Amino acid sequence: METSAHSIARLAKAAHVPLFGRITLSAPPVLVTHLLTERLTRFRAEYPDIRLSLSAQAQRVSLSRREADVAVRFVRPNETGSVTRKIGTMAFGLYAHRSYAHLAAPERWEFIAWDQTFADTPAQSWLLDIAGGRPVVCELTYSSEHLIAVRAGVGVAALPCFIGERDRDLVRIEEGAPYFARDIWLVVHGDLQKTPAVRAVMDFVVAVVSDYPDLAVR
């Protein structure tokens, strides 16, 4: 009965054709903080009557239960009834502050890792493999915190390239690190994908991601 109620609610929302209303967009914190929020002015200018509720969530959400209208994820969703599209690839690199004390001595690098929240993620495994026997000096939850720590000279961190490359105080240090990236998936429930307001939000996300060469589909 609950599933049926959610379905009826989605169809009712889809029937409201004009470009107005409240649309909930769920996306990983790194994309909300460093990508989508700073482009909200652009969205407001194009769609002044749509209230965009932008939710920074690392965990999966259920579109069929109306926990969000549109979602962006790093793992391809497989929820029944959803429509999924790959819209980008978020590459990572190793970064340090240009004045980092051990910049020229790789054997002395100290690393900034993710805490237990993301301890089992592919990004953490990639970073720890590179670190090898070198020390991890601190653990932080989100990439925005890693960026602050790197800028403070704490150590070396794995950052999305679209963040690291636009910060003039940081330098990318490869040391032969293998390529690593996360796919970016856009997902919407099939009942809502043609709703004009939902379509506007989806087009906005695709346009913002497309603006960054470091997020190009690969």
Side-chain angles (χ1 to χ4, degrees):
M1 183 177 295
E2 182 183 18
T3 300
S4 177
H6 288 310
S7 179
I8 292 171
R10 287 195 308 274
L11 293 172
K13 191 166 194 172
H16 287 76
V17 174
L19 283 167
F20 68 85
R22 180 179 181 272
I23 303 298
T24 302
L25 170 61
S26 171
V30 64
L31 296 184
V32 171
T33 303
H34 297 281
L35 189 70
L36 296 170
T37 301
E38 63 186 31
R39 299 300 183 91
L40 284 178
T41 301
R42 167 176 162 182
F43 182 82
R44 288 286 301 149
E46 294 183 18
Y47 307 106
D49 295 322
I50 298 177
R51 179 188 296 182
L52 181 57
S53 178
L54 191 52
S55 180
Q57 297 173 303
Q59 70 274 21
R60 294 184 181 184
V61 296
S62 172
L63 299 184
S64 64
R65 294 175 60 85
R66 299 192 64 220
E67 294 174 351
D69 298 310
V70 183
V72 179
R73 288 292 172 262
F74 293 138
V75 177
R76 183 172 188 170
N78 56 7
E79 186 176 17
T80 302
S82 65
V83 178
T84 304
R85 173 186 172 190
K86 182 178 176 180
I87 61 171
T89 304
M90 189 174 74
F92 282 74
L94 294 180
Y95 292 89
H97 195 276
R98 60 179 62 259
S99 64
Y100 177 52
H102 307 308
L103 189 62
E107 71 280 0
R108 299 184 65 188
W109 288 353
E110 298 171 321
F111 291 81
I112 301 163
W114 282 271
D115 66 11
Q116 290 302 307
T117 307
F118 298 110
D120 297 326
T121 61
Q124 180 85 314
S125 298
W126 177 75
L127 177 67
L128 295 181
D129 284 346
I130 294 172
R134 292 171 293 187
V136 171
V137 292
C138 70
E139 298 176 345
L140 299 165
T141 305
Y142 297 114
S143 291
S144 56
E145 298 162 355
H146 290 213
L147 176 61
I148 293 171
V150 171
R151 289 180 58 84
V154 173
V156 175
L159 293 174
C161 295
F162 85 92
I163 296 174
E165 293 302 316
R166 60 181 178 175
D167 193 315
R168 296 182 179 180
D169 291 328
L170 303 185
V171 291
R172 188 171 180 176
I173 47 179
E174 290 298 337
E175 198 209 20
Y179 176 77
F180 174 73
R182 302 297 305 271
D183 291 334
I184 304 174
W185 299 93
L186 180 66
V187 57
V188 63
H189 197 280
D191 290 344
L192 294 179
Q193 65 173 324
K194 294 183 179 180
T195 305
V198 171
R199 187 78 249 172
V201 172
M202 295 170 64
D203 290 344
F204 163 70
V205 174
V206 172
V208 171
V209 171
S210 299
D211 282 346
Y212 288 83
D214 288 316
L215 296 176
V217 177
R218 292 177 181 150

